[in-house]
Amino acid sequence: MNTTVEVLGFARDASWLPWAVQYFFLIGISVAAFFLSLPGFVWRRSKWLGISRRALLAALVCGLTAPVALLADLHQPGRFLNFYLHPNLGSWMAWGSFFIPLYLLGLIGYAWLCLRPLLAEMGQRPGSLAGLYRKLAYGGHDNLSAIKAAALAATLGGLLVLLYTGMEVMIVQARSLWNTPLLPLIFGITAMTGGIGMTALFEALTGNRQSAPLLNQWLARGIWVTLVLLLAWLILGLSGTSTAAADALAAMAGSFGWLVTGGWLFGSTLLTLWLARNHSNSLLMPALLALHGAWLIRWVVFIGGQSLPKMGSASHPYYLTLTPDSLLGIVGMAGLCLTLYIILTSLIPWDDQANA
Amino acid sequence: MNAQPDLSRRAFFTALPAVTAGLAIPAHAEDTATPHWSMLIDTRRCIACQACTMACSIENVSPEGQFRTLVATYAVTDQDGTTGMAVLPRLCNHCEEPPCIPVCPVGATFKREDGIVLVDGDRCVGCAYCVQACPYDARFVNHHTGKADKCTFCSHRLEAGLLPACVETCVGGARIFGDINNPQSEISRRLAAADGKTSVLKPEAGTHPRVFYIGLEKQLDGRVDGSSTADMMWRPGTQGA
Ligand code: SF4
Ligand code: SF4
Ligand code: SF4
């Protein structure tokens, strides 16, 4: 066997930047949080009512921020118009440009219908915004059939968003780390654990602790599935059953960075599981770890996946820099989430005192 | 229709009078059919001087650190411990089944009848999906335009009856460019002469490249298990301009 040293080669720098990580993270969490809002608002399960309220807030905060990250990745936001003027329906990304508005419009409609009674009630309270609340409440009926219809539209949109975000990445045969049928499932289940994490974080922020066992129970289930899927990928790669997974592992072989990343991923996932099972009354730490896990998976898939060479031996490691495309973008997105959280929680009470 | 270039640089010069005359006289019967442009790279003639890299960058005004073509160079040591140099000039393969095309959400990337795969810059949104889908790392998002960029087979030069810049500048005559629909073309004759000894990059990807190689080592036709000196080399952004 010949040994080679690439004396001169080139590796392209990552072209899907941290914006992509942020977008996939936020939109996944939003959809998952929306699903968590259904037991309380649609099926009216009393023990879910509080969780569902915070979940709806999480779905709105993340759902409204996500498209901003997507537009930022286009380098010039006005370009999004071409998605609608010249759609190529053979491309999953083109379908995504229709699924995102379907989901977001469904979500906004659903949120409004769920919040109408609360808005009407706030319109009755004295205050300078009372008139605005009354207008927004538009009668303030608690119309369960309308809520169900909007929930159906948002569910359809949300499922399609989960489908396209997974498929878009999975079908790229040129990227060995992406090209596995397990990827949409891994993205889907980590969206769920991330959505539970964001909801639990909002629970913790509103000082609500009684939902912790229920949320941690679902978090633990999600983490189990994540671990099974990650192990399945590893086994498929190590056994050579999946050529793409085997190729990705071969490209990572001997890299200390990948060893640390893999150890970190499995270690933090196990820690999340342990916390969710053994400290089921705590909210904040499992929540933060669940969010960390959902974000890390996307970071490893996107940024790590692009660093593996397609040709030659040169990899292109990504370095976080203080630029809008990098660290500042990530901080900016977090800032936008926080701003939306502050605006929404200032206008509408989301805690259990809210008489929704 | 004018005669189109179908020669390596060396042959181009020896046949210069015929070519210049060809620009003025009616084309051969074969030339009236739509050409199918292709490139044959004879790695035995390549000395890794990177003249093509420079010519392409200047001709196509590529941003610093972004290349449409480059000659990857390897030190290969065999079992006896003998080390030799192997080269791999890389560019877009103008694949017959290009995975970069179906993924484009706005249909901005397309294959012309003459085989050239191009990007419509007006339509491209710079989403880089095609960059991900290309198995050869042939594409990039141009730092200046924010849109997909890649080798065009110098289509603007072909229209003017000129050879691609990298072909014209090649010191060793390693790049042979021409119309594979025309059996009389230099490339067709060379391909016929090298029958069975040509290869393409990553044949298993099913892309059917239209850039052919003579003397390409199988070990180098895709991802190469080996070390790279890349981390020691200059990189835009990491070691300053
Ligand atoms: S080499 Fe890459 S960019 Fe060129 S046609 Fe093939 S897939 Fe497309
Ligand atoms: S970068 Fe341009 S050409 Fe490439 S897929 Fe996106 S829109 Fe199409
Ligand atoms: S054909 Fe033109 S664009 Fe393509 S590599 Fe050669 S010089 Fe560059």
Side-chain angles (χ1 to χ4, degrees):
Chain A
M1 174 80 188
N2 295 340
T3 55
T4 65
V5 177
E6 192 172 79
V7 182
L8 198 152
F10 73 105
R12 304 277 184 207
D13 44 1
S15 49
W16 281 0
L17 301 169
W19 292 121
V21 179
Q22 298 302 101
Y23 166 71
F24 279 75
F25 174 70
L26 290 167
I27 200 76
I29 285 188
S30 173
V31 172
F34 159 72
F35 289 152
L36 288 179
S37 79
L38 296 174
F41 283 111
V42 175
W43 302 312
R44 307 281 158 118
R45 299 260 167 83
S46 54
K47 75 170 174 175
W48 278 87
L49 219 65
I51 296 177
S52 289
R53 202 171 290 132
R54 263 75 72 190
L56 183 58
L57 175 62
L60 284 172
V61 167
C62 298
L64 296 175
T65 315
V68 179
L70 199 57
L71 287 182
D73 213 11
L74 293 184
H75 309 274
Q76 208 263 62
R79 287 180 181 174
F80 85 94
L81 275 176
N82 276 0
F83 279 95
Y84 302 102
L85 293 174
H86 312 284
N88 166 25
L89 298 181
S91 163
W92 278 103
M93 191 184 274
W95 282 104
S97 61
F98 296 99
F99 297 158
I100 301 165
L102 171 65
Y103 165 64
L104 285 180
L105 289 175
L107 173 69
I108 292 167
Y110 165 78
W112 175 68
L113 287 163
C114 291
L115 294 172
R116 265 170 91 194
L118 178 65
L119 290 168
E121 195 206 305
M122 293 178 66
Q124 302 311 316
R125 296 181 196 164
S128 52
L129 292 177
L132 179 69
Y133 285 127
R134 277 198 297 278
K135 277 209 179 77
L136 282 175
Y138 199 65
H141 301 297
D142 183 14
N143 188 340
L144 190 57
S145 328
I147 290 177
K148 279 183 179 162
L152 198 66
T155 302
L156 182 68
L159 287 174
L160 290 172
V161 163
L162 288 184
L163 177 74
Y164 109 84
T165 45
M167 294 304 290
E168 178 178 281
V169 184
M170 183 200 93
I171 56 113
V172 179
Q173 288 181 6
R175 295 255 178 242
S176 52
L177 191 64
W178 300 359
N179 189 219
T180 162
L182 294 173
L183 191 98
L185 301 175
I186 293 177
F187 272 5
I189 195 67
T190 52
M192 274 324 284
T193 50
I196 293 171
M198 193 61 100
T199 307
L201 179 67
F202 286 5
E203 286 283 77
L205 289 176
T206 47
N208 242 301
R209 296 210 153 264
Q210 40 306 20
S211 60
L214 187 57
L215 282 171
N216 281 324
Q217 185 189 16
W218 281 96
L219 179 60
R221 285 174 187 162
I223 298 287
W224 271 120
V225 181
T226 308
L227 279 170
V228 168
L229 291 172
L230 289 177
L231 281 172
W233 181 84
L234 204 58
I235 291 166
L236 287 176
L238 291 174
S239 65
T241 317
S242 155
T243 339
D247 191 54
L249 286 173
M252 293 171 194
S255 154
F256 183 67
W258 274 105
L259 200 65
V260 173
T261 306
W264 185 292
L265 184 62
F266 274 100
S268 59
T269 312
L270 287 172
L271 181 65
T272 318
L273 183 63
W274 180 79
L275 268 178
R277 283 170 60 92
N278 296 317
H279 292 266
S280 60
N281 282 320
S282 57
L283 268 178
L284 196 59
M285 278 318 284
L288 291 177
L289 271 168
L291 286 170
H292 160 274
W295 188 84
L296 184 64
I297 277 280
R298 282 154 185 79
W299 182 269
V300 171
V301 167
F302 286 114
I303 305 298
Q306 290 178 92
S307 79
L308 297 178
K310 287 177 178 176
M311 295 286 302
S313 314
S315 61
H316 204 298
Y318 182 84
Y319 297 106
L320 276 172
T321 51
L322 270 178
T323 54
D325 271 349
S326 189
L327 208 55
L328 292 186
I330 297 175
V331 174
M333 281 297 110
L336 190 55
C337 278
L338 186 65
T339 312
L340 273 169
Y341 177 83
I342 292 170
I343 293 174
L344 285 172
T345 48
S346 310
L347 290 176
I348 302 161
W350 297 85
D351 55 14
D352 285 339
Q353 280 73 51
N355 212 2
Chain B
M1 190 180 129
N2 289 338
Q4 298 281 1
D6 56 10
L7 304 163
S8 72
R9 178 184 169 272
R10 192 171 284 172
F12 182 77
F13 276 121
T14 38
L16 199 57
V19 172
T20 38
L23 292 174
I25 59 168
H28 297 281
E30 294 89 353
D31 291 349
T32 51
T34 309
H36 201 100
W37 300 117
S38 244
M39 196 182 286
L40 173 64
I41 298 177
D42 189 341
T43 60
R44 298 166 307 181
R45 289 171 156 223
C46 173
I47 58 165
C49 65
Q50 309 291 347
C52 51
T53 311
M54 293 309 296
C56 176
S57 293
I58 293 166
E59 174 74 26
N60 297 297
V61 206
S62 301
E64 198 178 315
Q66 296 192 300
F67 306 98
R68 291 183 177 189
T69 189
L70 188 137
V71 182
T73 311
Y74 299 87
V76 183
T77 307
D78 65 16
Q79 276 129 332
D80 304 333
T82 315
T83 301
M85 190 180 79
V87 294
L88 177 62
R90 279 167 53 186
L91 68 161
C92 167
N93 288 289
H94 297 273
C95 308
E96 281 304 285
E97 300 291 337
C100 56
I101 291 182
V103 296
C104 177
V106 295
T109 189
F110 59 98
K111 189 169 175 72
R112 286 198 322 205
E113 224 182 315
D114 63 4
I116 301 183
V117 174
L118 290 176
V119 178
D120 176 351
D122 287 336
R123 199 179 275 198
C124 172
V125 294
C127 68
Y129 202 5
C130 56
V131 177
Q132 306 296 355
C134 169
Y136 305 102
D137 245 357
R139 289 176 172 245
F140 54 96
V141 171
N142 185 306
H143 287 160
H144 290 162
T145 60
K147 296 181 180 193
D149 197 333
K150 62 181 269 300
C151 159
T152 58
F153 266 171
C154 280
S155 60
H156 62 293
R157 288 176 61 94
L158 298 186
E159 277 156 28
L162 297 168
L163 284 166
C166 57
V167 176
E168 186 154 335
T169 203
C170 179
V171 177
R175 293 187 182 222
I176 298 115
F177 182 83
D179 173 13
I180 48 168
N181 275 355
N182 177 358
Q184 302 309 318
S185 65
E186 173 84 0
I187 189 169
S188 294
R189 284 190 282 117
R190 295 271 194 109
L191 281 169
D195 188 28
K197 291 192 206 75
T198 57
S199 49
V200 294
L201 297 178
K202 290 191 181 177
E204 70 284 357
T207 53
H208 303 294
R210 283 299 168 260
V211 171
F212 303 94
Y213 291 85
I214 295 179
L216 169 68
E217 300 215 17
K218 176 76 193 128
Q219 200 186 349
L220 303 181
D221 80 357
R223 191 180 60 74
V224 180
D225 279 324
S227 47
S228 161
T229 58
D231 288 339
M232 288 178 258
M233 291 193 300
W234 178 86
R235 259 185 190 164
T238 54
Q239 275 139 342

